């Protein structure tokens, strides 16, 4: 084979990998899951919203400080200060703007849940969440980056899906299955990066091999939901759990792609996130990671010991007429 | 459908940036000497971290349009930081204790607090950041803001002493032997209302 022919073959394989035909079931799970996430996020922060984002000395730490730090990275990054500035120009006070932003975010979460005005709802939810995450940059933690990332992918994905109210109200054509496949692939590859680098970084710490990191993470406030007296009883299980977490995360990019191990790995990773949520109180983090995993690898998965139609393979081409599958 | 080449090009650039961010985070941990890797690698890791930062445009001037564009995209996509949560080890946590001195001579002890669990995680994240040397220039102003948030709920206070410190939780065997956590003060500030100023110690 000539070098040109070989390059062409590689390119063809890359395109096949990036654009597998998919149904929009995964997108429905992604949309509904993120809608729920946004609703829970806004409700969780309801009582502290003004305290966290006030810039007029009524809050915990002035919003302006977080925004100044964000602006150092780039003044183009959206922030709540923009909305407050706009509000001031039309005679609306800061408190009202913050309340409207909160209500709007809650409303967009509900719209995503129902599938009403999917695309505008996804864009507005992404924008408002980004503004809040960046304005409270000093107070932000990992879950918010995952929410921004997920909403970013959702607004770019080919919405609406067939289960949305939008699709029932306006009879639109089914989206290109290869485009649906592309955005699912983006999500899948991104999760592989998340777990591989997360697992690798953990593996470099001695505390994950002897269980002390699990102990330390479970007894430090505000994650100390379980009494240390109870944890001590399971002290011999902690090193096993610590090593298991490292192996599950590092092995994710390999075993999640293999048909034989995909279900097992997905169950392990979902169990890990559920445990983080329940034992450490990181409900938002747990929920967003579960939604991401279910949308990326959960939908259409082959469950062992269960009968699957047509051999159970994930042959998504069967769901679409041939004319809808562009070359 | 827009040309597959456009999507493929975006995919390549997007994941190139994610890779650079992830490696920058990973090399930073190694360079800080907090991993089980030999310390001889620290210098190389620092160089590799700088290379990753250069790829992200972070070495350019703050006003550089490429740096700003990359930073804006990273933040917009939620990929501006790596995935090294709880790694390589779980550090000590941090605590801010406020001594409230009332005009009548009473002294009360308080900590900044929020109502919800989600906001509590944010406050915890802020306190851990304050201990980081990179946030040293912000410490006083942030501590002052946190002290003010408590002061609003306690009228009649004339002076606040804010003590920030690191809390080292006991190991399993220490806990079994009845030992508790250890608080090590790192810095403290006195805030006086009358003078509208502060003095750090």
């Amino acid at each position: 084979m000539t070098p040109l022919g070989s390059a062409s073959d590689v390119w063809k394989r890359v395109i096949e990998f990036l654009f597998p035909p998919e149904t929009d079931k995964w997108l429905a799970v992604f949309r509904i899951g993120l809608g729920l996430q946004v609703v829970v996020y806004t409700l969780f922060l309801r009582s502290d919203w003004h305290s966290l984002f006030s810039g007029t000395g009524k809050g915990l730490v002035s919003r302006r400080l977080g925004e100044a730090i964000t602006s150092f990275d780039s003044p183009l990054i959206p922030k709540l200060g923009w909305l407050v500035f706009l509000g001031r120009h039309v005679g609306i006070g800061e408190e009202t703007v913050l309340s409207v932003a909160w209500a709007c975010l809650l409303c967009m979460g509900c719209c995503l849940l129902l599938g009403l005005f999917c695309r505008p709802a996804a864009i507005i939810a992404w924008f408002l969440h980004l503004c809040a995450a960046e304005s409270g940059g000093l107070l932000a933690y990992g879950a918010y980056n995952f929410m921004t990332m997920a909403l970013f992918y959702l607004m770019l994905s080919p919405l609406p899906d067939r289960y949305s109210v939008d699709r029932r109200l306006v009879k639109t054509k089914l989206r290109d299955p290869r485009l649906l496949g592309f955005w699912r692939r983006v999500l899948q590859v991104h999760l592989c990066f998340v777990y591989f680098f997360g697992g690798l970084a953990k593996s470099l710490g001695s505390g994950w091999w002897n269980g002390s990191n699990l102990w330390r993470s479970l007894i430090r406030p505000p994650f100390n939901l379980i009494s240390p007296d109870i944890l001590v009883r399971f002290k011999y299980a902690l090193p096993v759990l610590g090593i298991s977490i490292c192996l599950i995360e590092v092995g994710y990019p390999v075993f999640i792609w293999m048909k034989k191990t995909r279900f097992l790995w997905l169950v392990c990773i979902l169990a890990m996130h559920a445990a983080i949520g329940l034992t450490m109180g990181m409900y938002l983090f747990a929920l967003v990671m579960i939604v991401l995993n279910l949308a990326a690898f959960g939908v259409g998965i082959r469950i062992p010991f269960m009968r699957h139609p047509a051999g159970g393979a994930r042959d998504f081409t069967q769901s679409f007429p041939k004319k809808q599958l562009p070359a | 459908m827009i040309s597959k080449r456009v999507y493929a090009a975006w995919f390549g650039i997007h994941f190139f940036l994610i890779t650079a961010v992830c490696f920058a985070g990973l090399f930073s941990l190694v360079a800080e000497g907090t991993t089980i890797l030999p310390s001889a690698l620290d210098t190389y890791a620092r160089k590799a971290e700088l290379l990753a930062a250069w790829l992200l445009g972070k070495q350019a001037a703050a006003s550089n349009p490429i740096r700003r564009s990359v930073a804006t995209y990273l933040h917009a996509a939620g990929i501006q930081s790596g995935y090294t949560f709880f790694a390589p080890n779980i550090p000590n946590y941090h605590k801010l204790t406020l001594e409230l001195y009332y005009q009548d001579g009473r002294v009360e002890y308080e900590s900044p607090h929020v109502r919800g669990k989600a906001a509590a995680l944010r406050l915890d994240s802020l306190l851990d950041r304050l201990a980081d040397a990179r946030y040293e220039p912000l410490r006083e102003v942030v501590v002052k803001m946190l002290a003010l948030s408590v002061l609003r709920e306690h009228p009649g206070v004339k002076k606040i002493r804010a003590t920030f410190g690191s809390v080292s939780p006991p190991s399993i065997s220490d806990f079994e032997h009845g030992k508790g956590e250890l608080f090590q003060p790192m810095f403290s500030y006195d805030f006086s209302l009358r003078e509208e100023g502060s003095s750090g110690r």
Side-chain angles (χ1 to χ4, degrees):
Chain A
M1 191 181 277
T2 62
L4 204 63
S6 172
S8 164
D9 195 42
V10 169
W11 175 249
K12 200 178 160 189
R13 283 178 182 214
V14 168
I15 292 297
E16 275 173 12
F17 172 77
L18 289 180
F19 298 92
E22 281 277 1
T23 68
D24 54 3
K25 278 183 188 166
W26 76 270
L27 188 56
V29 169
F30 196 37
R31 171 183 58 75
I32 294 167
L34 281 182
L36 183 65
Q37 175 80 20
V38 171
V39 168
V40 173
Y41 166 83
T42 44
L43 292 178
F44 269 26
L45 286 181
R46 182 173 51 96
S47 51
D48 292 302
W49 186 261
H50 285 86
S51 165
L52 290 172
F53 299 120
S54 172
T56 49
K58 290 177 188 166
L60 200 62
V61 175
S62 173
R63 187 194 70 241
R64 287 177 191 148
L65 184 65
E67 291 182 350
I69 294 167
T70 302
S71 293
F72 181 74
D73 267 350
S74 168
L76 304 172
I77 299 167
K79 26 191 129 32
L80 286 174
W82 291 5
L83 303 179
V84 172
F85 178 78
L86 276 176
R88 206 181 299 137
H89 270 261
V90 291
I92 303 172
E94 184 192 55
E95 278 204 26
T96 313
V97 171
L98 289 179
S99 298
V100 169
W102 180 86
C104 207
L105 193 54
L106 179 64
C107 191
M108 293 306 114
C110 294
C111 284
L112 286 176
L113 258 176
L114 297 171
L116 193 63
F117 309 117
C118 291
R119 179 84 64 188
I123 293 170
I124 296 169
W126 164 79
F127 181 78
L128 288 176
H129 177 265
L130 181 62
C131 285
E134 296 299 337
S135 292
L138 273 174
L139 297 142
Y141 71 102
Y144 301 122
N145 282 350
F146 284 112
M147 267 184 80
T148 307
M149 178 265 269
L151 288 167
F152 178 77
Y153 289 148
L154 182 69
M155 73 169 182
L156 294 175
S157 296
L159 292 163
D161 55 87
R162 77 177 74 173
Y163 303 101
S164 63
V165 174
D166 281 355
R167 185 61 68 77
R168 282 158 208 268
L169 292 177
V170 184
K171 299 284 178 200
T172 49
K173 278 195 294 183
L174 272 178
R175 296 291 177 158
D176 182 346
R178 292 196 190 276
L179 191 55
L180 282 160
F182 174 77
W183 286 106
R184 191 178 196 193
R185 201 57 104 206
V186 169
L187 203 56
Q188 290 172 333
V189 174
H190 198 143
L191 282 183
C192 290
F193 272 77
V194 169
Y195 289 114
F196 177 72
F197 280 97
L200 190 60
K202 285 187 185 79
S203 306
L204 296 176
S206 56
W208 287 100
W209 298 97
N210 59 23
S212 65
N213 273 353
L214 269 180
W215 164 258
R216 285 171 73 92
S217 60
L218 289 167
I219 64 163
R220 61 170 285 178
F223 308 127
N224 52 342
L225 297 188
I226 302 175
S227 160
D229 296 307
I230 295 172
L231 282 175
V232 161
R233 289 185 214 159
F234 300 97
K235 66 178 181 180
Y236 296 111
L238 294 179
V240 179
L241 286 170
I243 293 168
S244 302
I245 288 171
C246 291
L247 293 179
I248 290 169
E249 292 199 358
V250 173
Y252 188 92
V254 176
F255 296 105
I256 202 74
W257 293 103
M258 293 161 69
K259 278 183 185 167
K260 284 184 180 173
T261 51
R262 183 176 297 153
F263 182 77
L264 174 70
W265 232 258
L266 187 65
V267 168
C268 287
I269 217 86
L270 293 179
M272 183 184 84
H273 287 301
I276 288 172
L278 295 173
T279 60
M280 297 172 75
M282 299 176 79
Y283 309 115
L284 284 172
F285 178 68
L287 181 60
V288 76
M289 295 314 293
I290 288 171
V291 168
L292 285 167
N293 273 287
L294 285 179
F297 292 103
V299 177
I301 198 169
R302 186 192 168 106
I303 302 170
F305 314 114
M306 273 188 73
R307 282 188 164 210
H308 294 266
R314 293 172 69 215
D315 184 7
F316 298 109
T317 54
Q318 290 177 356
S319 309
F320 300 98
K322 284 229 162 161
K323 61 181 179 185
Q324 280 196 26
L325 292 176
Chain B
M1 183 175 174
I2 306 173
S3 166
K4 284 179 181 170
R5 283 167 197 255
V6 175
Y7 279 106
W10 172 82
F11 185 95
I13 294 167
H14 185 70
F15 281 99
F16 170 77
L17 291 174
I18 292 175
T19 310
V21 169
C22 289
F23 272 116
L26 197 62
F27 288 134
S28 168
L29 295 180
V30 178
E32 283 164 15
T34 53
T35 67
I36 52 176
L37 295 177
S39 57
L41 293 173
D42 294 359
T43 323
Y44 299 107
R46 183 64 71 199
K47 284 179 184 169
E49 185 197 353
L50 290 175
L51 176 67
W54 179 81
L55 290 171
L56 295 167
K58 286 186 178 175
Q59 306 288 18
S63 59
N64 187 298
I66 295 174
R67 176 184 166 150
R68 282 185 171 179
S69 307
V70 172
T72 305
Y73 179 78
L74 294 177
H75 282 261
I79 52 173
Q80 74 274 25
S81 54
Y83 303 108
T84 52
F85 312 115
F86 294 104
N89 288 312
I90 309 292
N92 292 344
Y93 69 94
H94 299 89
K95 210 173 184 176
L96 180 66
T97 309
L98 303 169
E99 286 172 65
L100 310 178
Y101 293 87
Y102 286 85
Q103 282 170 340
D104 59 9
R106 269 184 304 134
V107 180
E108 282 182 6
Y109 293 87
E110 261 282 20
S111 289
H113 54 267
V114 284
R115 291 182 197 136
K117 177 86 184 170
L121 288 174
R122 284 170 161 256
L123 184 59
D124 186 62
S125 171
L126 171 69
L127 293 180
D128 286 342
R129 279 200 176 98
L130 284 185
D132 193 323
R134 286 175 296 178
Y135 286 88
E136 200 274 331
L138 290 177
R139 271 178 197 162
E140 187 176 340
V141 70
V142 172
V143 171
K144 188 189 272 184
M145 285 174 177
L146 292 171
L148 269 172
S149 74
V150 170
L151 187 71
R152 267 183 243 119
E153 297 166 6
H154 297 267
V157 171
K158 66 169 186 178
K159 197 180 95 173
I160 294 183
R161 172 165 295 161
T163 307
F164 184 89
S166 159
V167 181
S168 174
S171 65
I172 298 179
S173 59
D174 283 348
F175 180 80
E176 285 175 315
H177 288 96
K179 289 183 185 169
E181 55 188 28
L182 198 68
F183 180 74
Q184 291 171 304
M186 291 168 72
F187 52 85
S188 71
Y189 296 102
D190 285 341
F191 300 114
S192 169
L193 274 182
R194 281 184 189 166
E195 294 162 19
E196 291 185 356
S198 65
S199 57
R201 289 194 300 149

